[in-house]
Amino acid sequence: MRSYPDIGRDDLIRYFTLTPADVAFIDPGRGRGPTDRLGLAVQLATLPWLGFVPDEVGSAPPVAVARLPERLGVDPAVLAEYGQREQTRSDHLRLVVGYLGWKSGPSRCTSCG
């Protein structure tokens, strides 16, 4: 199982700083609760940083997670409750992929011989 590595200061600032557009995506006014908003934000920051999102979103580096709640107005402790339903994590990851404009690649390398 892939997990979160340690994060350096440059990556922390680059990937875990939410733009106003990111905040609008995370909290579109459709009643998304604090836990889902923070979990979605962690996935949004993690995917460009690592190129994947570990299953255990709650195990993201605490220093990274601490940067997100101030823009979202949530308590960082709510992340421990995030993603108890695997479907929630999957749905949110699908939203993040779409928001970032990522395309799904082939499941295996077709040009590797």
Side-chain angles (χ1 to χ4, degrees):
M1 179 168 80
R2 299 184 292 184
S3 61
Y4 284 91
D6 291 333
I7 187 167
R9 186 176 190 284
D10 290 344
D11 283 346
L12 179 67
I13 292 167
R14 179 175 179 191
Y15 296 108
F16 286 83
T17 300
L18 298 174
T19 67
D22 295 341
V23 173
F25 163 73
I26 291 163
D27 190 10
R30 289 192 295 250
R32 199 171 275 147
T35 301
D36 284 343
R37 288 197 315 266
L38 184 53
L40 188 59
V42 171
Q43 289 200 48
L44 177 61
T46 300
L47 187 59
W49 173 41
L50 299 178
F52 69 96
V53 177
D55 289 338
E56 296 297 324
V57 174
S59 69
V63 66
V65 173
R67 289 185 57 84
L68 302 172
E70 61 193 43
R71 292 295 303 269
L72 301 174
V74 301
D75 180 344
V78 302
L79 187 61
E81 303 166 21
Y82 178 71
Q84 294 176 354
R85 285 183 53 242
E86 184 178 335
Q87 188 65 45
T88 300
R89 292 190 318 269
S90 297
D91 289 348
H92 285 174
L93 184 56
R94 197 172 304 111
L95 290 172
V96 166
V97 167
Y99 172 74
L100 293 174
W102 285 35
K103 303 280 188 249
S104 297
S107 58
R108 62 184 182 85
C109 181
T110 57
S111 63
C112 296

